[in-house]
Amino acid sequence: MKEISSVLIAGTGAIGSMVAFQIFETQPGTLSVLAGGERLVRYREKGFEINGESCSFPLVDVASISTPDLVIIACKYQHLDQVLADLAHHIGSDTLILSLLNGISSEEIVGAVYGKERIPYAMIIGTDAGHEGNQTTFSKTGTIFFGDSLNGNEHSRSARVQAIASFFDRIGITYTVPENMLNRLWFKFMMNVGINQVTAIVRRPYKILKSATLIREAADLLDAAMNEVITVARAEGIILTADDKQTVYRTIDGLTDEGKTSMCQDVEAGRKTEVELFSGTVIALGSKHGIPVPVNALLFKMLKTIEQSY
């Protein structure tokens, strides 16, 4: 597989803008950002502001044609269908795709449209990126995890995984290719179901769940939501453990006190949340396997109420 020399970012919220900035700083000639309509006009007029620094990322009109070596999708789940439509003229015969969306389903959705052979599983953990308007701020870039369901050692990785790893090495993006990527994808799903929903409902930053400033009632709710994910995951053949739950807390401790989850930011800004992706998925899996998930059912109703009362 050829070396990756061109990357198209589809979705420039907090994660997409942060990753674009990392690439732009190191190898600006490799990067472009997909945009169309009003968004394209706005990006041309205002550009992007990253940590207070003005940036003019190269733009690619959705109506044009391009064949990047790698497409990184970093939109919200509710925008995925539109992004896939926008990419119709930007997927070449050898284009690889990396999805940094939350949840456990985006790879299947993207693969059904553009081919599963293009897209390994992926996620990002440990970033505190925030986004409002054209402004993105972050102090921690986090780690991108990606790979096939099961990965061997560095010398036995698939060609697509090795190509992306080599590109990240050149850029200096922190990444991990775990032995069991599908398991790690479910781990992040468990973390999102707990942290994002709890902090969004109470509209509070990470510090309510950090060891030094922990609010016990919030942690109890987080644990209960994650326990339901562990139960439905086992029914799906995925084993998550008590140590995985402790890893969630260790991850939170590494984030800034006043940082906020994307869902908390959405609620505070009066935007649509990814509640269907989180508790909605847990509820569906619970129904599929006959497993009660009362905590996530409650979180779902609370978040839908919040959305409808903006």
Side-chain angles (χ1 to χ4, degrees):
M1 186 166 289
K2 70 175 184 177
E3 182 178 275
I4 292 172
S5 59
S6 58
V7 179
L8 180 64
I9 304 289
T12 45
I15 300 301
S17 296
M18 181 189 71
V19 173
F21 183 71
Q22 289 178 274
I23 298 171
F24 188 72
E25 275 197 309
T26 306
Q27 292 191 8
T30 67
L31 173 76
S32 56
V33 167
L34 186 68
E38 178 275 333
R39 190 181 300 269
L40 179 62
V41 173
R42 176 158 44 90
Y43 288 168
R44 283 173 173 167
E45 290 179 349
K46 296 184 176 180
F48 300 82
E49 186 177 307
I50 313 294
N51 285 341
E53 178 180 339
S54 180
C55 294
S56 295
F57 299 142
L59 302 173
V60 171
D61 191 335
V62 297
S64 66
I65 298 174
S66 70
T67 54
D69 298 324
L70 174 65
V71 169
I72 297 178
I73 300 177
C75 63
K76 290 291 183 68
Y77 178 75
Q78 57 266 31
H79 301 144
L80 181 56
D81 286 345
Q82 182 60 57
V83 166
L84 292 179
D86 290 345
L87 284 168
H89 302 299
H90 304 278
I91 304 295
S93 59
D94 298 320
T95 300
L96 298 176
I97 303 175
L98 204 65
S99 169
L100 298 182
L101 273 69
N102 290 320
I104 53 177
S105 58
S106 67
E107 285 81 7
E108 295 300 319
I109 295 171
V110 176
V113 177
Y114 290 116
K116 293 183 179 180
E117 71 281 358
R118 300 180 186 276
I119 180 165
Y121 294 103
M123 65 183 188
I124 186 167
I125 289 180
T127 178
D128 59 359
H131 182 76
E132 184 65 37
N134 71 327
Q135 300 177 342
T136 299
T137 58
F138 63 89
S139 63
K140 297 179 183 296
T141 56
T143 300
I144 294 178
F145 287 70
F146 70 97
D148 301 313
S149 297
L150 296 173
N151 299 284
N153 59 38
E154 184 175 348
H155 303 291
S156 61
R157 293 174 183 169
S158 67
R160 65 184 185 179
V161 170
Q162 188 57 54
I164 297 170
S166 296
F167 176 73
F168 285 168
D169 284 335
R170 298 200 311 275
I171 296 297
I173 289 178
T174 302
Y175 72 89
T176 294
V177 180
E179 181 179 344
N180 189 331
M181 182 60 213
L182 189 56
N183 179 277
R184 293 301 83 193
L185 196 69
W186 273 83
F187 162 77
K188 189 192 177 184
F189 176 63
M190 176 184 73
M191 181 165 64
N192 285 152
V193 165
I195 301 174
N196 283 36
Q197 296 190 126
V198 171
T199 58
I201 288 170
V202 300
R203 306 190 189 197
R204 292 294 181 270
Y206 292 119
K207 69 179 181 181
I208 68 168
L209 297 169
K210 298 184 73 169
S211 299
T213 50
L214 185 73
I215 295 177
R216 186 68 262 168
E217 289 79 2
D220 288 345
L221 189 55
L222 170 63
D223 284 341
M226 291 195 297
N227 284 338
E228 291 181 354
V229 176
I230 290 174
T231 303
V232 297
R234 187 178 298 115
E236 289 283 304
I238 304 295
I239 304 302
L240 298 170
T241 66
D243 186 61
D244 285 325
K245 288 205 311 182
Q246 290 306 308
T247 300
V248 169
Y249 283 99
R250 290 192 289 269
T251 300
I252 297 171
D253 280 343
L255 300 171
T256 54
D257 282 0
E258 297 302 325
K260 296 179 180 179
T261 63
S262 59
M263 183 174 271
C264 183
Q265 294 175 52
D266 287 340
V267 166
E268 290 185 335
R271 295 189 295 255
K272 178 75 184 74
T273 75
E274 293 182 306
V275 62
E276 290 84 3
L277 183 63
F278 296 150
S279 54
T281 299
V282 178
I283 292 167
L285 290 171
S287 176
K288 172 184 175 182
H289 296 289
I291 298 171
V293 288
V295 174
N296 275 282
L298 177 61
L299 296 178
F300 182 86
K301 290 179 179 179
M302 293 178 74
L303 284 160
K304 293 299 289 184
T305 299
I306 290 170
E307 285 183 348
Q308 295 174 67
S309 63
Y310 289 149

